[in-house]
Amino acid sequence: MTGLYLASLSLSHFRSHKSAQLMLDGRPVVIHGPNGAGKTNLIEAVSLFSPGRGLRRAAAQDMVRRPEALGWKVSGVLCAQERMHEVDIWAEDDGARQVKIDGKAAAQLALGRIARVLWLVPSMDRLWIEGAEGRRRFLDRVTMSFVPSHAEAVLEFDKTMRERNRLLKDQVRDAHWYQALEAQMARSGAEIDAGRRAALIELHRAQAEAETAFPVAELELTSTDNEMPGSADDYRAALAESRFRDLMAGRTLVGPHRADLYGVYAAKGVPARDCSTGEQKALLVSLILANARALAKSFGAPPVLLLDEVAAHLDAGRRAALYDEICALGSQAWMTGTGPELFGELGTRAQHFEVTDDAGLSQTRAL
């Protein structure tokens, strides 16, 4: 089967799983079982097959099964557009996460060359009503799915801004100390802003072209303070001009770290933050599906989707519509829920697994 999917997944001393092995095909994956059995731990392991810190944003040492182990390992065979890649991800003692692709050591960012993984987890349900940081992180994940190097630009900007903020807090006023840092911030900051705006265009296009049961979200990149300048040169000038104000505040007050994502339920003209809980969830599902459809075109295959407890928050009609859209897309979507009845509409279109309280794992038949 062509596309992008995990053909196998093995876990060793990862979270609650002492050992787990799954043999898979390209169909959606259903994982059901009681709360606390380790369902989310399984899809967290899958999220590590993409650049970044995974869906929980956890440190490597927090993923080990304690107290009996000092390290953990996640391995899988990834089928990416008819090519098979053996991927190993692990950490030892309190060391950093390490990656091998086809037996060769690789940077985590290298995973972005062979795979695309998107996720929707319950902690994201409050995206529209909590702080701007979560919305920036969401948008950066979307942007990184199109352009994996976006992650490098974000890391570079954050590192350089911390150095500039240290000078500001120390009340350093000599312009020579700032110029090189601001030039670097201007380059990476402009790249971040351009990438985010390009990603929003892709989402808008994917929503406009699709027939979907989920509501369209109109999205706009805004700022909590000054607008982000349009070019690297303009941003560099804005940083120099803002230096006195930044000295007073002790931090940088203009840049992509001040951006926010504003969403509107298009059909009703209602800001996403004012929508009901169910509507906010439907908007998020719509955006994840739009992201997936856009990636199917740009990357050449639909991404792996991780949808944690998604069925529990949708009525039967929307649940069936979600499953139909996932199958039409051809994505290996990993979905978790407490009982198999939540996935009855999928039938044999998916592969079904049950996780028990002791983190045991067995394949089951579709209802």
Side-chain angles (χ1 to χ4, degrees):
M1 181 174 179
T2 61
L4 174 66
Y5 63 95
L6 277 170
S8 68
L9 178 69
S10 299
L11 278 62
S12 176
H13 296 93
F14 182 85
R15 298 284 192 183
S16 59
H17 297 276
K18 183 175 183 179
S19 177
Q21 293 84 35
L22 291 83
M23 300 303 296
L24 305 154
D25 55 46
R27 289 176 296 163
V29 180
V30 167
I31 302 169
H32 65 86
N35 291 329
K39 304 184 298 293
T40 304
N41 296 340
L42 281 170
I43 64 169
E44 181 186 18
V46 179
S47 75
L48 301 182
F49 285 79
S50 66
R53 298 177 64 183
L55 61 80
R56 281 192 174 113
R57 303 186 70 247
Q61 59 266 30
D62 294 333
M63 299 179 191
V64 67
R65 177 183 168 97
R66 297 191 186 275
E68 78 252 22
L70 295 176
W72 55 267
K73 186 175 185 180
V74 173
S75 301
V77 174
L78 183 72
C79 178
Q81 299 164 307
E82 300 184 331
R83 292 190 61 185
M84 307 297 284
H85 298 280
E86 295 182 0
V87 179
D88 297 303
I89 308 161
W90 76 97
E92 298 174 349
D93 297 329
D94 290 328
R97 193 189 316 171
Q98 300 180 64
V99 176
K100 278 188 178 180
I101 301 175
D102 297 327
K104 297 180 180 179
Q108 290 181 38
L109 290 174
L111 292 166
R113 293 199 298 266
I114 61 173
R116 296 291 189 275
V117 184
L118 307 179
W119 54 77
L120 180 59
V121 297
S123 62
M124 295 166 63
D125 290 351
R126 299 179 62 81
L127 181 78
W128 303 112
I129 57 177
E130 292 189 338
E133 181 181 359
R135 289 185 289 276
R136 284 193 297 272
R137 191 180 305 124
F138 173 81
L139 181 54
D140 283 334
R141 285 291 314 174
V142 173
T143 306
M144 189 168 62
S145 74
F146 295 113
V147 184
S149 61
H150 181 77
E152 297 176 270
V154 171
L155 289 172
E156 179 182 293
F157 179 84
D158 288 345
K159 177 179 180 294
T160 313
M161 185 177 66
R162 285 195 298 271
E163 294 176 16
R164 184 177 187 268
N165 285 349
R166 193 175 300 116
L167 295 178
L168 294 169
K169 289 177 182 177
D170 291 342
Q171 293 293 295
V172 175
R173 296 177 182 270
D174 188 340
H176 290 91
W177 287 91
Y178 291 93
Q179 289 169 353
L181 291 175
E182 290 172 353
Q184 193 171 358
M185 285 178 66
R187 287 191 298 270
S188 56
E191 182 180 343
I192 292 167
D193 185 66
R196 287 171 174 172
R197 294 183 187 278
L200 290 182
I201 291 172
E202 292 291 340
L203 288 183
H204 287 150
R205 182 181 295 123
Q207 289 186 101
E209 293 175 350
E211 292 185 9
T212 177
F214 293 88
V216 170
E218 293 179 351
L219 302 173
E220 180 183 356
L221 192 63
T222 64
S223 177
T224 55
D225 197 354
N226 295 330
E227 288 296 321
M228 175 71 190
S231 70
D233 288 341
D234 290 340
Y235 183 33
R236 184 176 181 177
L239 286 169
E241 183 180 342
S242 181
R243 215 174 284 150
F244 178 75
R245 190 169 64 111
D246 293 351
L247 277 164
M248 298 291 291
R251 66 186 188 280
T252 303
L253 296 176
V254 59
H257 63 296
R258 306 287 287 176
D260 198 357
L261 182 64
Y262 180 70
V264 173
Y265 190 127
K268 295 185 175 183
V270 177
R273 63 172 178 264
D274 297 330
C275 290
S276 69
T277 301
E279 289 172 335
Q280 290 177 353
K281 184 73 172 188
L283 287 170
L284 279 173
V285 172
S286 180
L287 290 175
I288 293 296
L289 290 174
N291 193 174
R293 287 191 295 268
L295 279 174
K297 289 185 177 182
S298 65
F299 183 63
V304 174
L305 295 176
L306 308 177
L307 306 175
D308 193 19
E309 301 289 350
V310 68
H313 302 285
L314 299 174
D315 59 40
R318 279 217 168 118
R319 212 159 53 217
L322 172 63
Y323 300 155
D324 287 344
E325 291 195 32
I326 286 171
C327 291
L329 181 64
S331 172
Q332 189 189 59
W334 295 61
M335 293 171 281
T336 68
T338 52
E341 69 280 356
L342 293 170
F343 307 99
E345 298 92 342
L346 271 168
T348 57
R349 294 183 295 173
Q351 44 209 319
H352 299 249
F353 297 87
E354 181 179 12
V355 184
T356 58
D357 284 320
D358 59 357
L361 184 66
S362 61
Q363 190 161 8
T364 65
R365 289 188 176 186
L367 290 178

